[in-house]
Amino acid sequence: EPSSTLRASAVPDAVAPLAPEMLQREVARTLADQAVARLGPRLLPSAVPEDVAEFRNGAGNALGSLDVRRGAPRSSIDFMLQSSLHCKVPNGAIDITSILIFLNTATDAPHFLLELIQGSPTSIVVVLDLLPRKDLALHPDYLQKYYENTRLDEQRAKIEELPQACPYRSPSLFVRSACSPTAVLVTIDCGQGGEGALEEIVQGRLATVAKDVLQIWLDSCADSTTEMDDTERDCLLKRDQIVRSKSIEVDLTASLPRMFDPDVSSRIISEIRKAFGVQEP
Amino acid sequence: EPSSTLRASAVPDAVAPLAPEMLQREVARTLADQAVARLGPRLLPSAVPEDVAEFRNGAGNALGSLDVRRGAPRSSIDFMLQSSLHCKVPNGAIDITSILIFLNTATDAPHFLLELIQGSPTSIVVVLDLLPRKDLALHPDYLQKYYENTRLDEQRAKIEELPQACPYRSPSLFVRSACSPTAVLVTIDCGQGGEGALEEIVQGRLATVAKDVLQIWLDSCADSTTEMDDTERDCLLKRDQIVRSKSIEVDLTASLPRMFDPDVSSRIISEIRKAFGVQEP
């Protein structure tokens, strides 16, 4: 019979808060399952080399995972990308979990994006959006179709009405410009001793809203195709390329090299570039 | 010698808070003077009929003013519009003051917009922006030129860091889409008994930030001209028209008929349409 010490470590205490990275990944895994269940054969099997699927720092202070599944030929899915980064820092750890499902030019429907960034067990940054692919001020019909009719703003409000939520302003004006007016862009800060409160929010309200936003995306975007003339398709392609290049520049090329050795981060960044279909600058 | 009662009403008590409409108009008047001083002969004299320059409701519960000055021929100014609305409601009054300075297609530089909306003596909604005229996600160079290089985001932060400020979400997703990522979109709520605190903020921090944002606009946008080919100019014109039509629809055709008799509100709306260069829907 195992000692009580062993049992205690093997069966985690039900009331102790989960580690931040566990929380985030649980939410992300559930979402990924939801997307995969619906998209089914429209997603090809994972296509990343082993040393990209999981990677770590030489010093052992950082580890990460990246999975990219391309869309099947003739589907409107370009790729689904999941990543998680965990990096120990002097006073704790930084965790970043992302899910992106991007569409190709068979449609102009929005992409799906979730990013969770956590630097402490009591607060989390949430970026959750259906990323518009057209200029919303020039295309009110597009705004109405994908954002008004789907009542996405009610999802945003459910997060923002949390007393612990305050607006998160990306330091990049470009990132702010690329988001929709219904984007969830918040810091949820539960303050000192708020580990349990944050866990409850992440597993409760946040998980529910993320699931509902993904469901809206699956229902109104994932299957759509759009008739376009060449000029429209060229413009869509150009805008997509700029948004992809810029978000790599702002997001990953900024954080990966700070967390991982140069050879690791450049390997990962080049795999992400491949998925995004953008070249080195 | 006048009685002390008369004197008391003729010389307002220096410590009593100003009425909300006075506060707003003072800020707007100072800004208008600043713009007129710089734009000088590029603004033609006021061109509105007398019954538009000032108007009131039959019941006497609402009054307003509208001034439109067109830009001089061969200038890049399309028009400068100032308006103020005051309407008594059962528990107080609603006041809305606006300044818009819109450019024509000699340039693609942003328009200037300030709107102050007040429904109580202790709180105010502030919308202050250089309205972008291009899709910022498609034109990072435009974003950099007018929003990053001018450090507009620091002006936004000066207002948002006020403890009394919280984000204002326009119920219209279109209005949110039309604003820049550096737009000031806040409610400043000083709470019960906060009349004096609000007066201090409006005359202090808010007046200063509005002045500085206008100065940025005057320095970087008002004089600019942009080389454009026909396609670019057509796109700019189309986007401008949509933003103008939509903002009239959302803003004025929504609030004016609730405040004024139908004949008054339709007269004013048609004058604003004329300035905006858009037709009845």
Side-chain angles (χ1 to χ4, degrees):
Chain A
E1 199 179 9
S3 76
S4 62
T5 313
L6 269 176
R7 288 180 64 129
S9 68
V11 183
D13 186 341
V15 298
L18 289 173
E21 70 270 24
M22 297 303 293
L23 268 180
Q24 289 195 11
R25 285 183 207 158
E26 205 172 276
V27 173
R29 194 178 307 120
T30 309
L31 284 187
D33 290 347
Q34 182 187 351
V36 168
R38 170 71 171 267
L39 299 176
R42 280 185 284 164
L43 288 172
L44 299 178
S46 176
V48 297
E50 242 173 75
D51 63 353
V52 168
E54 286 199 21
F55 48 94
R56 56 187 64 234
N57 210 8
N61 63 323
L63 71 159
S65 68
L66 175 69
D67 188 35
V68 179
R69 298 181 63 175
R70 318 276 339 180
R74 283 175 306 280
S75 82
S76 60
I77 309 293
D78 192 4
F79 64 84
M80 171 167 162
L81 181 154
Q82 296 171 256
S83 74
S84 75
L85 306 175
H86 175 78
C87 178
K88 288 189 179 53
V89 291
N91 295 313
I94 295 172
D95 284 281
I96 306 178
T97 304
S98 314
I99 297 189
L100 283 66
I101 316 178
F102 274 40
L103 300 171
N104 61 30
T105 54
T107 175
D108 61 11
H111 304 309
F112 177 83
L113 168 75
L114 171 71
E115 193 149 39
L116 303 173
I117 304 157
Q118 200 161 1
S120 100
T122 58
S123 81
I124 190 168
V125 170
V126 181
V127 178
L128 171 64
D129 196 21
L130 303 195
L131 274 187
R133 296 169 72 199
K134 298 183 81 160
D135 178 8
L136 299 178
L138 186 59
H139 300 282
D141 49 336
Y142 185 91
L143 182 66
Q144 188 176 13
K145 179 175 179 184
Y146 292 113
Y147 298 93
E148 287 170 0
N149 295 352
T150 56
R151 299 165 70 176
L152 265 173
D153 207 40
E154 295 173 20
Q155 302 297 334
R156 180 197 57 76
K158 281 182 201 166
I159 299 292
E160 287 194 3
E161 75 193 16
L162 287 166
Q164 299 93 340
C166 70
Y168 166 71
R169 306 276 178 211
S170 167
S172 157
L173 296 188
F174 186 85
V175 169
R176 293 190 221 162
S177 302
C179 287
S180 84
T182 63
V184 175
L185 291 162
V186 295
T187 302
I188 299 172
D189 190 342
C190 295
Q192 217 181 345
E195 289 86 352
L198 185 67
E199 179 174 348
E200 202 178 304
I201 290 172
V202 171
Q203 295 182 312
R205 181 92 57 117
L206 177 61
T208 306
V209 167
K211 175 176 164 285
D212 290 348
V213 170
L214 176 58
Q215 195 59 48
I216 290 171
W217 183 84
L218 289 167
D219 291 340
S220 66
C221 304
D223 299 333
S224 87
T225 53
T226 313
E227 291 287 322
M228 278 177 267
D229 62 31
D230 288 351
T231 319
E232 289 169 323
R233 184 164 282 108
D234 286 351
C235 181
L236 187 72
L237 198 61
K238 189 178 166 199
R239 196 180 190 282
D240 266 8
Q241 288 294 108
I242 293 170
V243 171
R244 289 169 185 215
S245 305
K246 273 289 202 177
S247 48
I248 287 180
E249 183 189 304
V250 168
D251 232 25
L252 291 159
T253 57
S255 59
L256 275 166
R258 275 190 258 132
M259 294 174 142
F260 293 90
D261 302 327
D263 60 323
V264 179
S265 62
S266 69
R267 187 168 73 229
I268 305 307
I269 290 172
S270 101
E271 197 68 26
I272 295 170
R273 281 195 199 287
K274 215 167 75 185
F276 275 41
V278 296
Q279 303 304 311
E280 310 265 338
Chain B
E1 201 178 4
S3 77
S4 63
T5 313
L6 269 176
R7 288 181 64 129
S9 69
V11 182
D13 186 341
V15 297
L18 290 173
E21 70 270 24
M22 298 304 292
L23 267 179
Q24 290 194 10
R25 286 184 207 157
E26 204 172 278
V27 173
R29 193 178 307 119
T30 310
L31 284 187
D33 290 348
Q34 182 187 351
V36 168
R38 170 71 171 267
L39 300 176
R42 281 184 283 163
L43 288 172
L44 298 178
S46 175
V48 297
E50 243 173 74
D51 64 354
V52 168
E54 287 199 20
F55 48 95
R56 56 187 64 233
N57 210 9
N61 64 323
L63 71 159
S65 67
L66 175 70
D67 188 35
V68 179
R69 299 181 64 175
R70 317 277 337 182
R74 284 176 305 280
S75 82
S76 59
I77 309 292
D78 191 3
F79 64 84
M80 170 166 161
L81 181 154
Q82 296 171 258
S83 73
S84 76
L85 306 174
H86 175 79
C87 178
K88 288 188 179 57
V89 291
N91 295 314
I94 295 171
D95 284 281
I96 305 177
T97 304
S98 314
I99 297 189
L100 283 65
I101 317 179
F102 274 40
L103 300 170
N104 61 30
T105 54
T107 174
D108 62 11
H111 305 309
F112 177 83
L113 168 75
L114 172 72
E115 192 149 39
L116 303 173
I117 303 157
Q118 201 162 0
S120 100
T122 58
S123 81
I124 190 168
V125 169
V126 181
V127 179
L128 171 64
D129 197 21
L130 305 195
L131 274 186
R133 295 169 72 199
K134 297 183 82 160
D135 178 8
L136 299 178
L138 186 59
H139 299 283
D141 49 335
Y142 186 91
L143 182 66
Q144 187 176 15
K145 178 175 180 186
Y146 291 113
Y147 298 92
E148 287 169 2
N149 295 352
T150 55
R151 300 165 70 174
L152 264 173
D153 206 40
E154 295 174 18
Q155 301 297 334
R156 180 197 58 74
K158 281 182 200 165
I159 299 292
E160 287 194 4
E161 76 193 14
L162 287 167
Q164 299 93 340
C166 70
Y168 166 72
R169 306 273 178 213
S170 167
S172 158
L173 296 187
F174 186 85
V175 168
R176 294 190 220 161
S177 303
C179 288
S180 84
T182 63
V184 175
L185 290 163
V186 295
T187 301
I188 300 173
D189 189 341
C190 295
Q192 218 183 344
E195 289 86 352
L198 185 67
E199 179 174 348
E200 203 178 303
I201 290 171
V202 171
Q203 295 182 313
R205 181 92 57 118
L206 177 61
T208 305
V209 167
K211 177 176 164 286
D212 290 348
V213 170
L214 176 58
Q215 194 59 49
I216 289 171
W217 183 83
L218 289 167
D219 290 341
S220 65
C221 304
D223 299 334
S224 86
T225 53
T226 313
E227 291 286 324
M228 278 177 267
D229 62 32
D230 287 351
T231 319
E232 288 169 323
R233 183 164 282 109
D234 286 350
C235 181
L236 187 72
L237 198 61
K238 189 178 166 197
R239 196 180 191 282
D240 266 8
Q241 289 293 108
I242 292 170
V243 171
R244 289 169 185 216
S245 304
K246 274 290 203 176
S247 48
I248 287 180
E249 184 188 304
V250 168
D251 232 24
L252 291 158
T253 57
S255 59
L256 274 166
R258 274 190 258 131
M259 293 175 145
F260 293 91
D261 302 329
D263 60 322
V264 179
S265 63
S266 70
R267 188 167 72 229
I268 305 308
I269 290 171
S270 100
E271 198 68 27
I272 295 170
R273 280 194 200 287
K274 216 167 77 184
F276 275 41
V278 296
Q279 304 302 312
E280 310 265 338

